[in-house]
């Protein structure tokens, strides 16, 4: 009777103990908070357009201001991450459809400008006496102030288009790298980030809008929580070994916290209309969960880049199955 030879599991090391690929150089807290703010701004833009079209002016005001603040603060964090603000401006010198960074830079620039116009229009409408004082002090501002409502409505319709792009392009940006935990998750990351964006935008609507007018924000928050939870579960199950970094160490703790906070906040959102306190707890839990997702995803990427097995084993399995290795196209 022949006995099969027992071969110990191979130990994966790279040349001179160095990782196979370079670790991501993005820093905390700039990059994960930028990812959060971009998603928040994008989803809030869609909510602003829907609220405006259905006559919910108070919710529309909250959503417009949220979208503008998120986009502007996100752009500032991105500039800080790049080291010098002119580097961001340099990225706008060309437009390459094959480069997520190039496309994303243009989306961010256009979206930031449009959300600023939309928010200024909403604030001017909510504070007519302040707008009148501006005209009194600066008569030259009379024409722009009169044109602001029309420009604001047009900008709000435009950000309903740029908003979904803003909420998901950062997922494409991560997936277009060679980092295993990100690249192999290219199917689910856009849905994970979109769900997280919806949850965070709904949370902000709940926190900053009177409870009786925040019904649509609660629905958006609950929908985002379901979408985020489902996408995260599918991603980790499908990735197998490459999904391991999402469960280990600091990344695992952050992702588990995100699941608990998002699930709890989403459930509370369905009953938060009964109490301002419940609305606040739900909104804060969803916000914290969305931030944990971004910090956890960044940490998981670092972990997968540092350990050669997450690069070597999937490539070996693809070769054994007769499939070529999946390598992202570089811009």
């Amino acid at each position: 009777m022949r006995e099969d030879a027992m071969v110990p599991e191979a130990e994966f090391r790279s040349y001179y103990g160095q990782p196979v690929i370079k670790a991501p150089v993005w820093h905390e807290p700039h990059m994960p908070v930028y990812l959060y703010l971009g998603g928040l701004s994008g989803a809030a833009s869609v909510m602003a357009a829907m609220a405006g079209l259905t006559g919910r002016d108070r919710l529309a005001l909250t959503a417009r201001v949220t979208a503008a603040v998120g986009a502007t603060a996100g752009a500032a964090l991105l500039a800080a991450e790049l080291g010098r603000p002119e580097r961001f401006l340099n990225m706008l010198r060309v437009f390459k459809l094959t480069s997520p960074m190039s496309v994303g830079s243009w989306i961010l620039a256009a979206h930031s400008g449009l959300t600023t116009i939309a928010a200024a229009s909403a604030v001017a409408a909510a504070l007519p006496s302040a707008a009148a004082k501006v005209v009194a002090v600066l008569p030259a501002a009379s024409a722009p102030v009169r044109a602001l409502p029309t420009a604001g409505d047009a900008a709000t319709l435009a950000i309903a288009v740029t908003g979904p792009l803003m909420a998901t392009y950062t997922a494409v940006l991560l997936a277009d790298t060679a980092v295993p935990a990100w690249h192999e998750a290219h199917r689910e990351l856009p849905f994970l980030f979109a769900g997280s964006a919806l949850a965070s935008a709904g949370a902000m609507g709940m926190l900053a809008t009177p409870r009786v007018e925040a019904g649509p924000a609660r629905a958006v928050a609950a929908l985002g929580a379901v979408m985020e939870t489902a996408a995260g579960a599918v991603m980790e199950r499908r990735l197998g070994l490459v999904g391991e970094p999402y469960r280990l160490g600091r990344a695992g703790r952050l992702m588990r916290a995100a699941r608990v906070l998002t699930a709890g906040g989403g459930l509370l959102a369905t009953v938060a209309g009964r109490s301002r306190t419940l609305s606040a707890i739900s909104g804060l839990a969803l916000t914290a969960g969305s931030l944990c997702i971004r910090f956890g995803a960044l940490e998981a990427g670092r972990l997968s880049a540092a350990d050669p097995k997450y690069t070597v084993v999937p490539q070996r399995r693809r070769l054994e199955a007769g499939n070529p290795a999946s390598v992202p196209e570089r811009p």
Side-chain angles (χ1 to χ4, degrees):
M1 184 175 180
R2 187 177 64 86
E3 293 184 3
D4 294 333
M6 300 298 292
V7 179
E9 188 74 22
E11 195 172 335
F12 297 99
R13 291 196 181 97
S14 57
Y15 195 57
Y16 285 110
Q18 297 301 311
V20 174
I21 62 173
K22 257 186 180 179
V25 295
W26 294 332
H27 304 98
E28 293 185 9
H30 301 82
M31 203 59 191
V33 175
Y34 163 68
L35 298 178
Y36 161 76
L37 290 172
L40 171 65
S41 178
S45 298
V46 177
M47 191 166 67
M50 298 304 296
L53 290 172
T54 54
R56 294 178 170 87
D57 294 338
R58 184 61 181 80
L59 179 59
L61 171 63
T62 297
R64 287 193 193 190
V65 172
T66 298
V69 171
T72 304
L77 284 173
L78 180 59
E81 174 67 22
L82 294 172
R84 295 199 304 268
E86 59 267 25
R87 288 179 177 170
F88 176 73
L89 298 177
N90 287 338
M91 290 191 292
L92 300 177
R93 294 171 61 187
V94 295
F95 179 77
K96 290 181 63 177
L97 279 174
T98 56
S99 169
M101 180 64 78
S102 175
V103 174
S105 298
W106 278 95
I107 290 173
L108 176 58
H111 185 77
S112 298
L114 290 168
T115 54
T116 299
I117 295 171
S121 172
V123 171
L127 302 170
S129 60
K133 288 179 181 178
V134 170
V135 173
V137 174
L138 296 172
S142 177
V145 168
R146 286 199 304 270
L148 200 52
T150 301
D153 290 343
T156 302
L157 293 176
I159 61 176
V161 176
T162 61
L165 300 176
M166 186 71 185
T168 56
Y169 101 86
T170 50
V172 178
L173 185 65
L174 297 184
D176 191 57
T177 66
V179 176
W182 297 343
H183 181 64
E184 297 297 329
H186 64 276
R187 298 179 190 173
E188 296 86 7
L189 271 181
F191 293 98
L192 179 69
F193 277 25
S196 180
L198 288 170
S200 60
M204 198 57 64
M206 293 164 59
L207 290 169
T209 307
R211 181 167 48 91
V212 294
E213 300 179 39
R218 292 191 290 270
V220 168
L223 173 63
V226 171
M227 188 174 178
E228 177 188 324
T229 302
V234 170
M235 180 182 74
E236 291 190 29
R237 183 166 59 249
R238 185 184 69 82
L239 291 184
L241 173 69
V242 182
E244 195 174 78
Y246 290 100
R247 300 187 292 272
L248 298 178
R250 178 171 176 257
R253 292 191 295 272
L254 285 165
M255 297 302 285
R256 287 191 292 273
R259 282 195 292 270
V260 172
L261 290 165
T262 300
L267 287 172
L268 281 177
T270 62
V271 297
R274 305 173 185 174
S275 164
R276 184 63 186 168
T277 301
L278 289 178
S279 293
I281 295 173
S282 174
L284 292 173
L286 290 169
T287 299
S290 186
L291 282 166
C292 284
I293 282 286
R294 297 335 197 270
F295 278 88
L298 191 67
E299 184 66 21
R302 289 198 186 104
L303 181 59
S304 71
D307 193 330
K309 75 177 180 181
Y310 298 119
T311 302
V312 175
V313 173
Q315 289 180 348
R316 182 173 294 176
R317 289 174 179 172
R318 281 191 289 265
L319 287 172
E320 291 172 352
N323 298 322
S326 175
V327 179
E329 183 183 350
R330 305 312 305 161

